[in-house]
């Protein structure tokens, strides 16, 4: 059973993705730079892959359906895959598992190793730029002559998101919503709880 708290987090981040799709900065080559990647990569860092896909893929699909319909299916698959990849690399497969939230709610996951965060960001940038390059070349009918000049700006957009998302997730009060702050204390409490459980079972 999916918890109400999890549904709320997914809904808020999905809505944020849609809102961020409503404005952009135009570039000389016809590409537009959005802040949606910050919300998408953030979702990948703090949510499980399925939830991250909803925020990234479905959120981008809804946003484009409202503001730029021609791109909505490219956005669904590109941003959905981007969010899933970030989540898997950053360890999101173990986050927010239903029925395993623990006594601290969603704070059942430690901040991932820095190399995982960097690798997740790089993977997200490559997937995003590659997905839209393919979309520009084949789905929109512009060919590679149109797609190639836009890749740099796609990388810039996703790069901004890859920098902002970890800052928001790990260096702001949002960290307290999703992660255990004191790893040693959390492990000690878990071991104590397990020991008490075994003692109770033995009586």
């Amino acid at each position: 059973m999916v918890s109400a708290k999890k549904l709320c987090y997914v809904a808020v981040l999905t809505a944020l993705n849609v809102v961020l799709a409503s404005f952009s900065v135009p570039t000389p080559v016809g590409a537009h730079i959005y802040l949606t990647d910050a919300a998408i990569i953030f979702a990948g860092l703090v949510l499980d892959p399925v939830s991250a896909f909803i925020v990234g893929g479905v959120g981008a699909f809804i946003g484009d359906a409202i503001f730029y319909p021609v791109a909505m299916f490219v956005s669904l698959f590109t941003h959905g895959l981007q969010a899933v990849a970030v989540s898997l690399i950053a360890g999101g497969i173990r986050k927010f598992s239903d029925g395993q939230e623990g006594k601290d709610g969603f704070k059942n996951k430690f901040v991932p190793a820095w190399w995982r965060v960097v690798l997740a960001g790089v993977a997200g940038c490559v997937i995003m730029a590659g997905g839209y390059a393919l979309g520009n070349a084949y789905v929109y009918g512009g060919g590679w002559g149109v797609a190639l000049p836009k890749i740099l700006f796609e990388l810039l957009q996703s790069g901004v998101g890859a920098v902002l998302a970890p800052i928001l997730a790990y260096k702001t009060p949002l960290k307290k919503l999703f992660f255990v702050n004191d790893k040693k204390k959390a492990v000690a409490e878990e071991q104590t709880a397990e020991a008490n459980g075994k003692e109770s079972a033995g009586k």
Side-chain angles (χ1 to χ4, degrees):
M1 182 178 179
V2 180
S3 67
K5 182 180 284 189
K6 180 176 181 179
L7 288 175
C8 287
Y9 281 133
V10 173
V12 168
L13 288 172
T14 302
L16 177 61
N17 191 12
V18 174
V19 170
L20 291 176
S22 65
F23 58 91
S24 64
V25 177
T27 67
V29 296
H32 290 261
I33 296 178
Y34 297 85
L35 289 176
T36 51
D37 286 72
I40 293 167
I41 294 177
F42 178 87
L45 293 173
V46 303
L47 294 171
D48 62 89
V50 175
S51 299
F53 179 85
I54 294 172
V55 174
V58 177
F61 179 87
I62 295 172
D64 279 350
I66 297 172
F67 304 109
Y68 190 54
V70 69
M72 57 188 186
F73 287 103
V74 173
S75 295
L76 173 66
F77 290 105
T78 299
H79 283 305
L81 181 59
Q82 177 189 26
V84 169
V86 171
S87 180
L88 290 173
I89 294 171
I93 193 70
R94 298 186 298 277
K95 298 189 191 96
F96 298 176
S97 298
D98 293 328
Q100 300 178 18
E101 296 173 5
K103 64 179 181 179
D104 290 325
F106 286 124
K107 295 188 294 183
N108 66 338
K109 180 63 182 171
F110 306 122
V111 173
W114 183 242
W115 69 268
R116 282 183 173 272
V117 177
V118 173
L119 183 59
V122 171
C125 291
V126 171
I127 291 171
M128 187 274 193
Y132 277 100
L134 292 172
N136 285 320
Y138 298 110
V139 179
Y140 311 150
W144 285 105
V146 173
L148 290 176
K150 294 183 178 182
I151 289 180
L152 179 61
F153 294 99
E154 306 291 2
L155 288 171
L156 175 61
Q157 173 182 316
S158 55
V160 170
V163 171
L164 289 178
I167 293 174
L168 292 172
Y170 310 133
K171 301 298 182 181
T172 70
L174 291 173
K175 177 181 177 182
K176 296 180 180 179
L177 294 176
F178 301 102
F179 298 96
V180 174
N181 291 320
D182 190 336
K183 183 174 182 178
K184 292 182 179 179
K185 181 179 179 181
V187 172
E189 289 179 350
E190 184 178 349
Q191 291 175 343
T192 301
E194 289 180 357
N196 291 337
K198 291 179 180 178
E199 289 179 2
S200 298
K203 291 182 181 179

